[in-house]
Amino acid sequence: MEEGLLSVIIPAYNEEGLIHKAASVIGGILDTAGIPYELIFVNDGSKDGTWQCIQETAEMNERVRGLCFSRNFGKESAMFAGLSEASGDCAVVIDCDLQHPPEKIVEMYRLWQNGYEVVEGVKSSRGQENPMHTLAAVCFYKIIGKAAGFDMSRASDFKLLDRKAVNVLLNMKERNAFFRALSSWVGFKTASVEFDVQERTEGVSKWSVWALVKYALSNITSFSAAPMQLVTFLGMVMLVVSLVMGSIAVYQKISGIALGGFTTVIIIQLFTGSIIMISLGIIGYYIARIYDEVKGRPRFIISSTCGTRPGQKDEKEGKGE
């Protein structure tokens, strides 16, 4: 079987207490399995000592590299930054908090060796989670699933991609990319590996309710035009209501039973105004997304790096000789 280099992409935001542990656990598992690898930590503008921990780990372990953003750009940008710097024949994305079980990487790698080009990590359980969060996640994935045309109910960012799939993703020019959906959308020969979400051993989740709402809105609008179709639906509802109310008004006028007063008129105006404002809000949000894309700003800015690419150290030593 082919023994290709595996690049492990590990986004990190305020995870200073887990950097050393993640490198040790993941590296130990891959060493035991005899898999050649590199670990790429991406510091997403952390406010604690995450970057210092990454630098220390890179000094102790030549297989560790680090990328540091100039500010917080978000997890999606961190994943794409790691993929852009990956040297491997395949790459896997995994959370720094180890809620994605690292031992599953070996199973994913073996499937890649057997010819699979995308290996999806699918959740068999979501672990201990707020019921409202679970309900919101189910609704979100139903919308994305219908838009994408494939089931995303158990999807995650934990997945392995062949170099071909990585190159396709990196060549996509959209700024607001949804990695979890796009990595499935690209196709290729696909397999899946089930896993149970593990509990955090240190720290707390960095996802607030508002952050999750923004994340959901951003990804739905970047991958689906369903909200725009809602505008059409609301317009049809308004048309039906108008026809019914208009017919009643005409009948009352002809029958001579029309009553004076503005209650009905006010209600209709308020209803119509609400529909119009909701529609304008949805359209405006999409226009804002188009504006962001047209500006063409980079997905991320790397302010500093640490560690060396596999083979780069040997090249330097060869030149020195």
Side-chain angles (χ1 to χ4, degrees):
M1 292 187 294
E2 180 186 358
E3 288 288 342
L5 178 68
L6 171 66
S7 296
V8 183
I9 315 301
I10 312 171
Y13 177 66
N14 292 345
E15 298 285 8
E16 62 179 356
L18 285 166
I19 299 298
H20 295 306
K21 182 176 181 180
S24 175
V25 171
I26 297 172
I29 290 171
L30 296 179
D31 281 330
T32 301
I35 298 173
Y37 68 91
E38 64 171 347
L39 303 181
I40 304 177
F41 286 93
V42 184
N43 176 40
D44 186 20
S46 298
K47 298 176 182 178
D48 61 2
T50 297
W51 179 237
Q52 288 75 19
C53 290
I54 293 173
Q55 289 176 309
E56 291 170 4
T57 306
E59 289 175 2
M60 295 185 293
N61 188 343
E62 62 181 8
R63 292 181 175 179
V64 174
R65 295 164 56 203
L67 309 175
C68 184
F69 283 175
S70 60
R71 65 171 178 82
N72 178 252
F73 283 91
K75 185 180 179 181
E76 300 292 318
S77 295
M79 290 186 287
F80 276 95
L83 291 174
S84 68
E85 292 292 319
S87 304
D89 301 295
C90 58
V92 66
V93 176
I94 186 171
D95 285 352
C96 186
D97 55 19
L98 300 180
Q99 287 190 288
H100 296 154
E103 61 271 13
K104 292 292 182 178
I105 297 176
V106 178
E107 187 177 344
M108 290 177 165
Y109 186 83
R110 300 306 179 205
L111 286 169
W112 173 74
Q113 287 182 311
N114 289 331
Y116 290 97
E117 295 160 318
V118 176
V119 183
E120 302 272 359
V122 296
K123 301 173 183 176
S124 55
S125 71
R126 299 186 64 90
Q128 294 182 358
E129 191 176 60
N130 186 302
M132 290 301 295
H133 185 183
T134 302
L135 177 62
V138 169
C139 295
F140 169 68
Y141 285 118
K142 278 188 176 179
I143 294 173
I144 287 292
K146 284 195 173 184
F150 46 81
D151 182 23
M152 289 196 63
S153 59
R154 298 190 296 161
S156 73
D157 293 323
F158 184 33
K159 57 189 67 185
L160 182 146
L161 304 171
D162 181 76
R163 171 51 59 181
K164 288 188 293 185
V166 171
N167 290 340
V168 169
L169 285 175
L170 293 177
N171 285 329
M172 292 181 179
K173 302 304 180 184
E174 56 192 272
R175 298 289 176 259
N176 297 297
F178 183 22
F179 173 78
R180 194 172 300 186
L182 284 176
S183 55
S184 300
W185 176 85
V186 295
F188 294 106
K189 188 177 180 181
T190 304
S192 62
V193 171
E194 291 194 352
F195 71 94
D196 294 318
V197 176
Q198 307 298 304
E199 294 303 314
R200 269 180 167 267
T201 56
E202 291 186 41
V204 295
S205 173
K206 308 306 182 295
W207 290 98
S208 64
V209 174
W210 177 237
L212 288 169
V213 169
K214 290 197 297 182
Y215 179 76
L217 287 174
S218 174
N219 291 324
I220 287 172
T221 52
S222 68
F223 203 79
S224 169
M228 292 291 284
Q229 296 168 0
L230 179 61
V231 174
T232 303
F233 172 75
L234 292 174
M236 295 299 295
V237 170
M238 193 63 238
L239 175 61
V240 171
V241 171
S242 300
L243 289 174
V244 172
M245 298 299 292
S247 298
I248 293 173
V250 171
Y251 171 76
Q252 289 179 337
K253 185 68 175 177
I254 294 174
S255 302
I257 58 173
L259 300 175
F262 298 96
T263 303
T264 303
V265 174
I266 291 172
I267 291 174
I268 292 175
Q269 286 183 334
L270 289 173
F271 181 69
T272 304
S274 299
I275 296 296
I276 291 173
M277 293 307 294
I278 291 172
S279 301
L280 286 175
I282 293 173
I283 294 170
Y285 192 82
Y286 271 93
I287 292 174
R289 305 293 287 184
I290 295 170
Y291 176 61
D292 286 339
E293 293 289 337
V294 170
K295 284 189 292 188
R297 290 178 182 172
R299 288 174 179 159
F300 51 84
I301 299 173
I302 298 175
S303 61
S304 56
T305 63
C306 63
T308 56
R309 288 178 178 271
Q312 188 175 358
K313 183 177 179 181
D314 295 336
E315 291 176 9
K316 289 181 178 179
E317 289 177 353
K319 289 179 181 178
E321 293 174 358

